[in-house]
Amino acid sequence: MSIKIIPQDQLELQATNSVIKQIPLLFYPSPKTLYIHRAERLTSLANNSPISDYLKFCAIIAEKQANLIKHNPIDIDVSCLLNSDRPPLSLANLPLKNTWQDYLTSLLNSFSDTTQQITLVIDQLKKNSSLELQDKALHLLKGEFDRVDGNETIFIWSSLSVYYCQLASQIKGKAIAENTDKLWLCPVCNSMPTASVIQLGSHNGLRYLHCSLCESEWYVPRVKCTCCDNMKGIQYLSLEKELAATKTECCDVCHSYLKILDQDKDPHIEVIADDIASLILDIKTEEEGFAKSGINPFIFAK
Ligand SMILES: [Zn+2]
Ligand SMILES: [Zn+2]
């Protein structure tokens, strides 16, 4: 792992070893606003989309995630998690407790008037014992996505995200890095990214990967494969011309791709929402022989 999170009071000791000092390496999420913003963006994207109904469904989930945080926030002292070399919220550093299941129960119970298909998935999930749910969550956190039904995964992952996102926002550690290699997984929770984003304005066009689980964002240099560090022959595909705000960044060495979303070209971009809405670009990129090196919490069902 190249980005390491250390307690604030150790910063001066470690700073001399860090070669990347000027760049903000890590942004923790803001749970109180993040899901509200996502729901708004999904609703707006649904206005002119061939997958309008699905975007509206995702917007409802994001709204419910915002409500879970509003009505049942968690506040845990996570400072002790910075005493190891592992990402603080990784499973190896923080075993998963059942707490996240309260969010799942509330999420499932909050659906009253919905489609038959969604009702079926919700009923199916409600029949799971706590042990079974824990088992499914652990499979997902370990990246064993084919071990859990994709429709169930959306609800489980959304609840886990609400839990991890709040923990991530409470970490007070500072990020340091000695180089910019091997930045493939989230330095906070060790999960895969969804896409990368060029943040609006203030950071001089720097690129950050957005975590699919804890919603943190971490720095990766531009024009570099986010899966194998290759920097040669990276190509960009888009549905429109060069000025497109959403492109896929494709690597000829490992044949993977990930989307890169440019907020300087469209300030309304929200990573998870825009990644789902541009599903056609995924299909086109996969037709060219590339495989996605990230996951979107709303696109597990195959
Ligand atoms: Zn993360
Ligand atoms: Zn690559």
Side-chain angles (χ1 to χ4, degrees):
M1 182 184 53
S2 187
I3 292 180
K4 193 179 165 208
I5 304 167
I6 57 164
Q8 296 270 11
D9 55 6
Q10 288 179 23
L11 192 59
E12 273 187 26
L13 288 172
Q14 299 260 355
T16 45
N17 296 327
S18 175
V19 293
I20 306 155
K21 294 175 189 158
Q22 307 301 329
I23 296 170
L25 293 171
L26 180 66
F27 292 93
Y28 296 111
S30 308
K32 283 187 186 142
T33 52
L34 183 134
Y35 296 105
I36 296 170
H37 178 207
R38 181 166 302 157
E40 287 169 355
R41 178 64 172 165
L42 284 161
T43 307
S44 142
L45 288 167
N47 285 333
N48 187 19
S49 168
I51 52 167
S52 176
D53 284 349
Y54 192 65
L55 293 175
K56 283 179 192 160
F57 165 69
C58 297
I60 291 171
I61 298 245
E63 264 167 39
K64 290 180 185 295
Q65 286 177 299
N67 277 332
L68 291 176
I69 288 169
K70 189 175 170 193
H71 298 300
N72 198 6
I74 43 172
D75 190 4
I76 300 173
D77 181 12
V78 287
S79 53
C80 61
L81 298 174
L82 298 179
N83 297 329
S84 85
D85 275 344
R86 296 180 290 250
L89 302 183
S90 61
L91 269 185
N93 203 47
L94 177 69
L96 182 66
K97 292 193 183 139
N98 285 5
T99 328
W100 72 275
Q101 291 189 18
D102 295 340
Y103 287 129
L104 179 67
T105 307
S106 303
L107 179 65
L108 297 178
N109 287 338
S110 69
F111 279 88
S112 49
D113 182 23
T114 184
T115 66
Q116 204 180 355
Q117 196 199 349
I118 295 171
T119 308
L120 211 69
V121 179
I122 290 172
D123 289 347
Q124 191 181 305
L125 263 173
K126 282 182 177 172
K127 285 181 195 149
N128 282 239
S129 68
S130 173
L131 212 62
E132 285 169 320
L133 290 175
Q134 207 63 6
D135 212 35
K136 289 181 180 182
L138 288 173
H139 279 311
L140 297 178
L141 294 177
K142 289 175 189 166
E144 299 160 356
F145 301 110
D146 54 348
R147 300 287 299 270
V148 185
D149 175 90
N151 293 316
E152 291 188 358
T153 298
I154 291 172
F155 294 95
I156 296 173
W157 193 273
S158 300
S159 312
L160 285 169
S161 227
V162 164
Y163 175 68
Y164 276 101
C165 169
Q166 291 178 87
L167 293 188
S169 73
Q170 286 159 22
I171 293 174
K172 303 283 189 290
K174 275 296 231 184
I176 58 165
E178 289 176 16
N179 58 57
T180 56
D181 294 334
K182 297 185 180 167
L183 294 166
W184 312 320
L185 298 174
C186 174
V188 178
C189 75
N190 210 38
S191 292
M192 289 166 85
T194 294
S196 61
V197 59
I198 296 166
Q199 294 184 344
L200 185 63
S202 58
H203 304 294
N204 302 320
L206 299 180
R207 172 259 286 276
Y208 291 84
L209 287 183
H210 187 103
C211 177
S212 57
L213 179 67
C214 81
E215 315 266 6
S216 298
E217 291 186 347
W218 70 99
Y219 171 73
V220 179
R222 300 269 291 268
V223 203
K224 176 170 185 165
C225 174
T226 56
C227 187
C228 79
D229 284 342
N230 164 46
M231 296 183 81
K232 286 185 189 147
I234 302 284
Q235 46 173 316
Y236 295 87
L237 304 180
S238 63
L239 295 179
E240 303 139 47
K241 297 285 175 212
E242 280 157 35
L243 287 175
T246 302
K247 295 177 183 172
T248 48
E249 187 174 57
C250 308
C251 171
D252 262 340
V253 171
C254 71
H255 302 288
S256 77
Y257 79 92
L258 204 61
K259 276 189 208 138
I260 178 159
L261 307 155
D262 190 342
Q263 287 180 333
D264 272 333
K265 294 202 172 88
D266 182 351
H268 301 296
I269 279 178
E270 197 284 325
V271 180
I272 307 283
D274 283 75
D275 184 61
I276 313 166
S278 53
L279 204 57
I280 293 174
L281 180 57
D282 287 280
I283 296 167
K284 299 269 181 217
T285 308
E286 279 162 23
E287 280 171 4
E288 298 291 322
F290 298 100
K292 194 166 187 164
S293 62
I295 48 167
N296 187 309
F298 289 108
I299 316 178
F300 283 113
K302 292 273 177 187

